[in-house]
Amino acid sequence: LKGLTQKENGEMWLEEFENNGFKASYKIKEILHTTQSQFQEISILESEMFGKILVLDGIVQTTSLDGHIYNEMISHVPICAHHKPKNVLVIGGGDLGVANELSKYPFIENIDLVEIDALVVESCKTHLKEIAGETTDPRVQALYEDGAAFVKGKKNVYDVVIVDSSDPIGPAEILFHYDFYKDIYESLKEDGLMVCQSQSPIFHMNVLKQSFQNIHQLFSFTRLYTAVVPTYPGGLWSFTLGSKKEFKVKKDILATNTKYINSKILKASFKLPQFLKQEILG
Ligand code: SAM
């Protein structure tokens, strides 16, 4: 398995290389599942500290310890920024965590989940129920294709688009390009909005700035918000929200059955540390 090593004492460790100067190591108790798809190596591991971990090509995607923080922040914030969306598109999101959060809103009528790799969904449904859930809401339509190709040519279809992608390498690289955001803009209705994960403000400022600038060029209203997700390198994680119309996050529609987000966090997550304000707003 990519990144997995066995020490002389028999211990297994997953080493995730962030760059040449930093790696994170997870002590692994058991390999629960592993398979090679057309796109990537998929594994689900039981770790000592983070519970179950989904790993794609040696990179940790989500864990049962803190996956809910990320999934709640990338789902509930755009829903509360829109006035009761009906038609939502999720690009990526194969662990089904985002789809499960969206299912908490009865006014959403349809959730299209466009994931390039059917084997990620299948693996998580069987081995990562803590995130994928026991059952999938019938409003979720899973479509297995490239998210960038799917959204191209769509006009005026969605209220909200959520880009829950892996890091900008391999199949997800295209999900960080300007043309992809432009196609998302076109696919949205006139009061539509989008959100994407824009990486770590501490480690990936170049990716964050590029995503923010791309979205800012297209959308009249662009805002950045953050959350702390210990699994992701740097801890502090960013999300960029682009909206065609001016918006205010509405706490009165926020779902109550959450573990992390509440009405105070909903508002406070848009308050940015000084260095980030300077980088983004100049
Ligand atoms: N929350 C995670 C994170 O921030 O690292 C990402 C979760 S989810 C597992 C990411 C998914 O995006 C993966 O299942 C991957 O297969 C999918 N993906 C990557 N490139 C894609 C593309 N071009 N179109 C659709 N899905 C894609």
Side-chain angles (χ1 to χ4, degrees):
L1 283 191
K2 286 179 187 157
L4 197 72
T5 52
Q6 187 139 22
K7 306 277 177 216
E8 278 168 14
N9 62 5
E11 284 180 1
M12 275 190 298
W13 286 81
L14 175 76
E15 294 189 333
E16 186 191 49
F17 284 82
E18 173 55 29
N19 53 42
N20 287 336
F22 175 67
K23 68 180 178 189
S25 300
Y26 298 79
K27 190 172 175 186
I28 302 302
K29 293 202 282 195
E30 200 185 340
I31 300 168
L32 300 170
H33 170 73
T34 182
T35 185
Q36 175 69 47
S37 78
Q38 190 189 336
F39 304 100
Q40 52 212 347
E41 181 191 83
I42 305 165
S43 333
I44 297 171
L45 312 173
E46 181 73 51
S47 73
E48 181 110 6
M49 287 289 293
F50 286 79
K52 288 188 190 169
I53 309 184
L54 169 66
V55 188
L56 300 179
D57 275 344
I59 298 174
V60 174
Q61 303 290 314
T62 189
T63 72
S64 56
L65 180 75
D66 62 13
H68 63 280
I69 304 178
Y70 172 90
N71 287 324
E72 290 185 12
M73 291 304 287
I74 203 170
S75 309
H76 297 274
V77 177
I79 298 308
C80 294
H82 190 280
H83 187 71
K84 298 201 174 172
K86 290 188 168 79
N87 199 14
V88 181
L89 168 65
V90 181
I91 292 177
D95 55 60
L96 299 179
V98 169
N100 284 335
E101 293 307 320
L102 296 173
S103 298
K104 295 176 180 172
Y105 292 93
F107 51 76
I108 297 178
E109 292 171 4
N110 178 63
I111 303 161
D112 283 344
L113 180 104
V114 180
E115 160 63 59
I116 204 166
D117 196 340
L119 274 181
V120 174
V121 175
E122 210 174 282
S123 302
C124 293
K125 271 186 170 173
T126 314
H127 302 281
L128 193 58
K129 290 198 166 89
E130 292 83 349
I131 289 173
E134 290 291 332
T135 55
T136 309
D137 191 306
R139 292 173 291 171
V140 178
Q141 316 291 329
L143 302 145
Y144 299 114
E145 57 176 285
D146 174 50
F150 175 85
V151 85
K152 197 174 273 307
K154 298 248 174 343
K155 302 243 180 294
N156 202 26
V157 182
Y158 295 105
D159 299 303
V160 170
V161 175
I162 298 174
V163 186
D164 177 21
S165 69
S166 19
D167 294 345
I169 37 168
E173 209 237 309
I174 195 164
L175 306 182
F176 287 80
H177 288 186
Y178 175 82
D179 287 351
F180 170 62
Y181 297 121
K182 194 164 183 292
D183 291 333
I184 291 182
Y185 183 91
E186 297 289 330
S187 78
L188 284 164
K189 293 185 188 157
E190 61 178 359
D191 60 349
L193 57 87
M194 70 155 289
V195 70
C196 68
Q197 65 98 343
S198 38
Q199 306 276 107
S200 160
I202 310 290
F203 285 166
H204 318 118
M205 185 55 93
N206 52 343
V207 181
L208 189 162
K209 273 177 100 167
Q210 192 61 58
S211 303
F212 188 90
Q213 277 161 14
N214 285 341
I215 294 170
H216 189 56
Q217 270 184 54
L218 291 158
F219 290 84
S220 307
F221 302 92
T222 311
R223 301 275 304 275
L224 194 78
Y225 64 94
T226 63
V228 170
V229 188
T231 290
Y232 296 143
L236 186 63
W237 208 248
S238 77
F239 305 86
T240 302
L241 195 156
S243 177
K244 291 189 176 184
K245 274 199 166 170
E246 200 165 359
F247 67 92
K248 254 188 153 185
V249 283
K250 293 169 215 74
K251 59 180 184 180
D252 49 312
I253 60 168
L254 179 66
T256 49
N257 48 347
T258 56
K259 270 167 85 177
Y260 180 79
I261 197 168
N262 56 32
S263 57
K264 292 266 164 54
I265 287 180
L266 184 65
K267 297 258 175 204
S269 63
F270 287 92
K271 301 275 181 232
L272 300 179
Q274 197 58 17
F275 76 97
L276 206 42
K277 267 169 90 169
Q278 276 163 359
E279 289 280 357
I280 292 302
L281 307 172

